[in-house]
Amino acid sequence: MIELRGVNKHFGALHVLQEIDLTVGRGEVVVVIGPSGSGKSTLCRAVNRLEQIESGTITIDGVPLPEEGKGLAKLRAEVGMVFQSFNLFAHKTVLQNVVLAQVKVRKRAKAEAEAKARALLDRVGLAAQADKYPAQLSGGQQQRVAIARALAMDPKALLFDEPTSALDPEMINEVLDVMKGLADEGMTMVVVTHEMGFARSAAHRVVFMADGQILEDRAPEDFFAAPETDRAKDFLSKILKH
């Protein structure tokens, strides 16, 4: 579904993505972990061209990523993105947030888009909040609205860029539960996260990044039980002690 071959990206002198090769199969959940500054978020954002790459290729469902224009807008409809900071429209209600792109990008009739939006809000446990504004919701609720908004486009794949890192601890599970549900239903997902429990329970593969490189790409049980690289051992020893 998603394939990266020889992808490179610099920020100034910093080589943030170094010859990245990664394949995500249809229905696969790939969790990307690693220390801060390892290139995880840049990788995630490159997949739907929020970050331009300098060399290499990225294909989605067999189609090379378009540079810009209508082709790129179409592709972004196919690959949903859920950000750390929700990115909801503050001046629109929850329902309007989930309806908007359906009408504008997918050209759905308003009534059809609203029906779909209400069904998805129900699915993420927020049917009763449809007429509220984002500021009236908790962070966990806002993130679930953002997930509903991404799902409303019927994406082929979803990208999650640290979806719980801005949330209070008690709100994290309500978002992870929705994500686990999507994983169980066979949604193709790339998830950049610090939540090791989610990586262990929901991922088909764990990709460990450090210093702009993929150092390990393995089944979660293998990775957590016996990391192969010193960098991964060091990382896990620091986060799993607590």
Side-chain angles (χ1 to χ4, degrees):
M1 178 60 78
I2 300 169
E3 187 172 18
L4 289 79
R5 284 283 164 264
V7 169
N8 284 282
K9 166 82 179 172
H10 287 79
F11 288 129
L14 197 62
H15 197 172
V16 285
L17 295 178
Q18 302 179 27
E19 292 294 325
I20 296 291
D21 293 328
L22 179 67
T23 304
V24 181
R26 193 179 304 275
E28 206 170 21
V29 178
V30 173
V31 171
V32 184
I33 64 172
S36 292
S38 57
K40 309 183 298 290
S41 289
T42 307
L43 172 78
C44 194
R45 293 168 66 86
V47 173
N48 69 353
R49 257 216 176 19
L50 287 171
E51 294 285 0
Q52 294 286 353
I53 61 171
E54 283 141 25
S55 62
T57 58
I58 300 176
T59 55
I60 308 285
D61 205 10
V63 180
L65 212 51
E67 287 293 326
E68 53 194 32
K70 282 196 171 143
L72 185 56
K74 185 171 181 294
L75 177 112
R76 284 194 179 141
E78 305 289 327
V79 182
M81 182 109 185
V82 179
F83 300 89
Q84 188 174 337
S85 53
F86 327 135
N87 289 15
L88 299 174
F89 295 112
H91 60 290
K92 295 194 179 296
T93 65
V94 164
L95 185 69
Q96 288 168 336
N97 264 283
V98 184
V99 164
L100 186 68
Q102 293 188 67
V103 174
K104 287 258 193 286
V105 180
R106 288 283 191 220
K107 308 296 183 203
R108 285 189 187 132
K110 192 150 185 258
E112 182 194 349
E114 283 198 2
K116 187 169 184 73
R118 288 188 189 280
L120 285 167
L121 288 170
D122 186 45
R123 179 174 168 184
V124 298
L126 293 172
Q129 315 296 331
D131 297 323
K132 289 189 174 168
Y133 288 87
Q136 296 172 284
L137 304 182
S138 72
Q141 289 173 321
Q142 290 187 61
Q143 194 59 294
R144 284 184 284 152
V145 172
I147 293 172
R149 180 177 63 178
L151 289 172
M153 303 300 281
D154 296 319
K156 292 178 176 177
L158 281 179
L159 309 172
F160 293 85
D161 185 10
E162 303 202 9
T164 58
S165 62
L167 300 178
D168 292 334
E170 71 270 19
M171 293 173 193
I172 289 173
N173 282 340
E174 66 192 52
V175 173
L176 293 178
D177 286 346
V178 170
M179 292 167 62
K180 281 196 184 103
L182 293 173
D184 291 343
E185 287 164 26
M187 173 61 77
T188 307
M189 293 161 61
V190 177
V191 183
V192 174
T193 186
H194 296 291
E195 298 298 327
M196 295 303 133
F198 179 81
R200 277 191 154 132
S201 63
H204 295 102
R205 282 164 42 218
V206 170
V207 168
F208 175 75
M209 287 186 75
D211 307 316
Q213 296 173 305
I214 292 177
L215 298 186
E216 303 204 24
D217 179 349
R218 301 166 65 208
E221 54 273 21
D222 299 337
F223 175 76
F224 286 108
E228 287 171 346
T229 58
D230 290 340
R231 200 78 174 75
K233 284 175 192 159
D234 181 52
F235 176 76
L236 287 176
S237 74
K238 285 177 177 151
I239 57 163
L240 297 178
K241 270 179 185 157
H242 301 298

